[in-house]
């Protein structure tokens, strides 16, 4: 049995297999052919942080696959009152077929996985957001941008940046990350990515220079400067990230037809200008929609590997 806690645990071939399956499922969905790949299966969704896309896409996804979802907010279940995660894992393993967790520390996912006898999916942790990056890569592939791909990530060295590192180093494309000083990607994640990059021939460049990072990139991307759980640092972060907004001027350094991606929610006037966002809204909302298709593929894939 496999879990999906990070892209680190998946090979290039497996990632591409899931993206291809997502494409097939997307086409079927567009044709209104809802194949019951997960008939009568139940997905438990534990949320310790807020969500719009992850919650809706998983819930709609399992329903379209013939199953059903349980939304388990940590405020409502005993976990929030101190019941150990390992006990929650063993109870849910007896009752549902698959679990998704959105949480803080990655170690919580690892602990749950250790005691779980059913597949577990990471719906975002402080360190990784693998489902988002599968959707991002699917959106890039759909537009045929995956040949000789170069991606510039401008902003915080956070869970999204870390997931870009994992994706690039597994798939083997060029990734340039520019963060302000003090907001670099985690050293261990970067070192792991550099290690994988040796095999995949990915080119990974980290700097504090957004203009250099964006120069001639085919895809430009960013994320909020203030992730969930960092609300108390908001003012400091907004000051420290000055010069890192992706606006028309910044996009001007990229290739002419460059894509702009954003995992959402977006904060206009901070990490991205309203103009850039609206100009690229078609690909941004395709990216959001692809969460649905790719997560359906992940659930089917995990079910086939148990
Ligand atoms: N991108 C993303 O995961 O969105 P939500 O926080 O709304 O789930
Ligand atoms: N980095 C953001 C991503 C939200 C989808 C956060 O963790 O809040």
């Amino acid at each position: 049995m496999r879990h999906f806690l990070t892209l680190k645990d998946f090979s290039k071939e497996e990632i591409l297999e899931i993206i291809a399956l997502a494409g097939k499922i997307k086409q079927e969905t567009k044709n209104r052919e809802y194949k019951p790949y997960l008939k009568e299966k139940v997905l438990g969704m534990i949320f310790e942080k807020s969500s719009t896309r992850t919650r809706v896409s998983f819930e709609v996804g399992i329903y379209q696959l013939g199953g059903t979802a349980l939304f388990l907010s940590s405020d409502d279940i005993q976990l929030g009152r101190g019941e150990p995660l390992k006990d929650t894992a063993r109870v849910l393993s007896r009752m549902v077929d698959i679990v998704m967790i959105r949480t803080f520390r990655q170690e919580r996912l690892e602990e749950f996985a250790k005691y779980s006898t059913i597949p577990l999916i990471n719906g975002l942790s402080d360190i990784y957001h693998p489902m988002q990056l599968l959707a991002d890569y699917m959106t890039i592939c759909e537009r045929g941008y995956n040949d000789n791909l170069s991606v510039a990530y401008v902003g915080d060295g956070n869970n999204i940046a870390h997931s870009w590192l994992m994706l690039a180093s597994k798939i083997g494309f060029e990734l340039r990350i520019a963060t302000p000083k003090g907001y670099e990607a985690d050293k261990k994640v970067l070192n792991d990515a550099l290690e994988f990059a040796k095999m995949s021939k990915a080119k990974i460049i980290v700097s504090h220079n957004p203009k250099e990072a964006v120069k001639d990139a085919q895809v430009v991307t960013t994320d909020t400067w203030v992730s969930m759980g960092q609300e108390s640092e908001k003012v400091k972060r907004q000051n420290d990230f000055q010069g890192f907004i992706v606006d028309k001027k910044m996009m001007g350094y990229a290739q002419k037809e460059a894509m702009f991606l954003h995992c959402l929610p977006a904060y206009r006037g901070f990490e991205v200008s309203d103009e850039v966002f609206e100009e690229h809204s078609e690909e941004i909302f395709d990216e959001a929609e692809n969460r649905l298709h790719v997560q359906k593929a992940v659930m089917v894939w995990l079910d086939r590997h148990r």
Side-chain angles (χ1 to χ4, degrees), residues 49 102 124 129 158-160 223-224 227-228 263-265:
K49 290 179 178 175
R102 168 166 284 196
L124 180 147
H129 194 4
N158 63 12
N159 44 11
I160 297 290
D223 182 24
T224 180
S227 284
M228 289 180 276
C263 65
L264 304 177

Side-chain angles (χ1 to χ4, degrees), residues 4 6-8 10-12 15-16 19 128-141 149 151 159-175 189 193 196-197 200 202-204 219 221 261:
F4 208 132
T6 158
L7 288 161
K8 193 174 152 180
F10 286 77
S11 67
K12 174 176 181 173
I15 294 168
L16 296 180
I19 303 272
Y128 289 123
H129 194 4
M131 295 303 113
Q132 182 64 53
L133 267 289
L134 289 178
D136 292 10
Y137 194 58
M138 181 177 178
T139 313
I140 289 170
C141 294
L149 178 62
V151 177
N159 44 11
I160 297 290
H162 296 152
S163 302
W164 273 109
L165 280 167
M166 281 304 141
L167 181 77
S169 65
K170 289 286 178 155
I171 300 288
F173 58 81
E174 182 169 339
L175 174 67
V189 175
F196 292 132
S200 69
K203 196 169 167 198
I204 290 171
V219 176
T221 185
L261 294 176

Side-chain angles (χ1 to χ4, degrees), residues 47 50-55 102 123-124 129 132 228 263-265 291:
F47 281 92
S50 310
S51 167
T52 298
R53 279 143 290 270
T54 305
R55 177 177 176 181
R102 168 166 284 196
L124 180 147
H129 194 4
Q132 182 64 53
M228 289 180 276
C263 65
L264 304 177
R291 292 289 303 279

Side-chain angles (χ1 to χ4, degrees), residues 57-217:
S57 53
F58 268 110
E59 194 159 338
V60 170
I62 189 82
Y63 177 73
Q64 290 180 347
L65 292 168
T68 192
L70 291 176
F71 173 67
L72 306 166
S73 160
S74 56
D75 292 340
D76 300 331
I77 60 174
Q78 298 288 8
L79 182 67
R81 297 183 65 248
E83 182 168 16
L85 194 61
K86 59 185 181 183
D87 294 355
T88 309
R90 285 177 285 190
V91 171
L92 290 185
S93 291
R94 306 276 182 122
M95 295 183 186
V96 306
D97 302 286
I98 185 161
V99 173
M100 186 243 60
I101 301 184
R102 168 166 284 196
T103 187
F104 293 85
R105 288 182 306 110
Q106 183 76 9
E107 292 75 23
R108 282 179 73 69
L109 287 152
E110 285 158 11
E111 191 192 348
F112 190 102
K114 189 171 156 199
Y115 289 92
S116 173
T117 56
I118 55 173
L120 172 64
I121 300 172
N122 180 359
L124 180 147
S125 70
D126 287 344
I127 199 123
Y128 289 123
H129 194 4
M131 295 303 113
Q132 182 64 53
L133 267 289
L134 289 178
D136 292 10
Y137 194 58
M138 181 177 178
T139 313
I140 289 170
C141 294
E142 281 178 338
R143 282 176 160 69
Y145 276 54
N146 46 320
D147 259 357
N148 283 318
L149 178 62
S150 55
V151 177
Y153 175 96
V154 176
D156 190 15
N158 63 12
N159 44 11
I160 297 290
H162 296 152
S163 302
W164 273 109
L165 280 167
M166 281 304 141
L167 181 77
S169 65
K170 289 286 178 155
I171 300 288
F173 58 81
E174 182 169 339
L175 174 67
R176 306 179 212 139
I177 296 189
T179 66
K181 289 205 173 101
Y183 295 95
E184 295 84 5
D186 180 85
K187 280 216 168 59
K188 186 167 172 347
V189 175
L190 178 62
N191 285 338
D192 285 345
L194 291 172
E195 217 31 63
F196 292 132
K198 286 182 193 158
M199 280 187 303
S200 69
K201 306 265 183 290
K203 196 169 167 198
I204 290 171
I205 303 161
V206 291
S207 78
H208 299 300
N209 188 334
K211 193 170 137 186
E212 278 286 298
V214 170
K215 196 168 175 295
D216 294 325

